[in-house]
Amino acid sequence: MRSILYGLLVTLLLPSVVFSREGGFVSDRQEIEYEYRGLIPESRVVINMPEPEYINPAKPTIVIFYALPNGNTIEQTKGRKPDAVSGEKDGWRYDIQHIAAQTRFLRSKDKNSNYVVVYLESALRAWTTHASKYGDSPRMYRNLIDTVRSIIADKSSGKAERGKQSIVLSSHSGGGRFIFSYIQGEATIPDYIKRIVFLDSVYGYEESLHSDKFCKWLGQSSKNALVVYSYIDTTVILDGKHIVSPTGGTGYKSRQMAGDLIAWGMKLTSASDTSFCSYTLKNKVQILIKENPHGKIYHTVLVERNGFVSSVLFGTRYEQRGYKFWGNRCYNPFID
């Protein structure tokens, strides 16, 4: 019955292939994209994956759901070379995340996995607004992830079956609300979710709603990992005003999350220097908080300076190979 319903859904949605790019960008692989609108109300989804003949069914498929930051389109999030969008309004937005190029870097380095990235965009340009508008957003977001997993299995010609998919929930900025709403709707975080990533996106964290679920999920499997990158944003003043309250920024929320994990019995190691404060547990937890005594804005820089790559490869054999978090862009050769 499930497969019949899924077939009807795909037929009704009439997905379109956005493009299929011939070789050269991802070593010897090709990539293809599918776009869907309306999988849930006021949403747009773009799936980027290797073409089926380049998917190895003997290898795990890592599916990264990337919930977009407020105000950005999927095209801006994917990124372009500055000269390719020089005359476009808000052209600077194409040069601050480069998730497409960072994904290609992942594919070039990790030949033992198939990488799929799923861009999640709210038509309201903010998952915070979307979640507030729809009271049943936790159920909707769960259904969205479930549907996309089935689409990937179908489009891969069965080479990336649901049972072979390792799911990563990743987000930037207001995209964190998508993840928190999803978690809120689950009694426990499902075991097929292997990594949860917050790239300066933990504004919505609440101890009473999330800490016990994170701890239980981290304890379920040695393969589960939580990655959080943020910065001290309480020192930032814009137009004469602080951009966040003393307890509302991601730096504060990240420290709160680390403290809650420790209170639940997780043996995190803390360290600090002039650049970062960190809370870590080998291969399982990495919480990095950028120090910011001069009140600079590092919101998107945490993504741009290899943050997406680092968040996916933390705790793997490829960690810090060919890149460094907060270093120079490792993915420049892969930018369109």
Side-chain angles (χ1 to χ4, degrees), residues 30-237:
Q30 295 174 319
E31 59 185 27
I32 190 167
E33 292 195 346
Y34 300 92
E35 177 177 350
Y36 299 84
R37 297 175 186 263
L39 291 178
I40 61 173
E42 298 189 277
S43 70
R44 178 181 174 222
V45 174
V46 170
I47 303 169
N48 176 284
M49 58 191 292
E51 292 194 36
E53 59 264 40
Y54 294 99
I55 296 176
N56 188 334
K59 298 176 180 179
T61 295
I62 299 174
V63 181
I64 307 169
F65 287 85
Y66 188 78
L68 268 61
N70 294 354
N72 286 255
T73 66
I74 289 174
E75 287 70 26
Q76 291 165 343
T77 297
K78 288 165 61 179
R80 296 289 302 279
K81 290 180 178 178
D83 57 359
V85 292
S86 58
E88 189 165 332
K89 181 182 178 181
D90 292 335
W92 59 272
R93 291 184 182 272
Y94 291 84
D95 196 36
I96 58 176
Q97 296 181 79
H98 287 294
I99 301 304
Q102 294 199 55
T103 299
R104 293 176 188 133
F105 177 88
L106 290 171
R107 290 172 178 154
S108 73
K109 288 297 178 183
D110 180 5
K111 301 294 187 181
N112 293 308
S113 303
N114 308 301
Y115 280 93
V116 177
V117 63
V118 182
Y119 299 93
L120 304 175
E121 177 186 315
S122 164
L124 304 175
R125 290 292 182 89
W127 285 110
T128 49
T129 305
H130 191 278
S132 297
K133 180 176 180 178
Y134 294 98
D136 61 343
S137 61
R139 178 192 61 81
M140 291 170 57
Y141 298 169
R142 181 179 66 248
N143 290 345
L144 175 60
I145 289 174
D146 190 57
T147 299
V148 171
R149 291 184 66 206
S150 294
I151 292 173
I152 292 169
D154 177 70
K155 294 300 180 182
S156 69
S157 300
K159 293 181 178 180
E161 297 175 353
R162 290 168 59 97
K164 296 179 180 179
Q165 297 174 12
S166 293
I167 305 303
V168 177
L169 298 183
S170 182
S171 62
H172 176 40
S173 187
R177 180 64 180 274
F178 180 95
I179 296 179
F180 285 127
S181 293
Y182 172 85
I183 292 173
Q184 184 179 341
E186 298 284 357
T188 58
I189 300 174
D191 57 6
Y192 54 77
I193 294 177
K194 297 304 180 185
R195 186 172 297 250
I196 298 176
V197 175
F198 295 99
L199 300 175
D200 208 41
S201 57
V202 291
Y203 301 99
Y205 172 75
E206 295 185 38
E207 186 277 334
S208 61
L209 296 176
H210 308 119
S211 63
D212 61 331
K213 293 182 181 180
F214 281 137
C215 287
K216 291 175 182 177
W217 168 73
L218 286 167
Q220 285 174 5
S221 170
S222 60
K223 296 181 179 180
N224 293 350
L226 173 66
V227 180
V228 180
Y229 298 157
S230 61
Y231 77 108
I232 302 299
D233 43 7
T234 51
T235 60
V236 179
I237 297 176

Side-chain angles (χ1 to χ4, degrees), residues 283-330:
N283 299 338
K284 292 192 69 64
V285 178
Q286 184 184 50
I287 299 175
L288 302 180
I289 306 169
K290 179 75 177 72
E291 299 290 1
N292 191 21
H294 302 297
K296 295 183 178 181
I297 298 176
Y298 293 118
H299 185 55
T300 58
V301 185
L302 288 161
V303 182
E304 176 193 354
R305 295 181 69 171
N306 307 327
F308 181 76
V309 167
S310 181
S311 70
V312 174
L313 296 183
F314 160 71
T316 73
R317 72 178 75 175
Y318 304 102
E319 184 176 3
Q320 301 296 333
R321 290 192 180 184
Y323 76 94
K324 183 178 180 181
F325 175 61
W326 209 248
N328 295 327
R329 294 179 177 184
C330 63

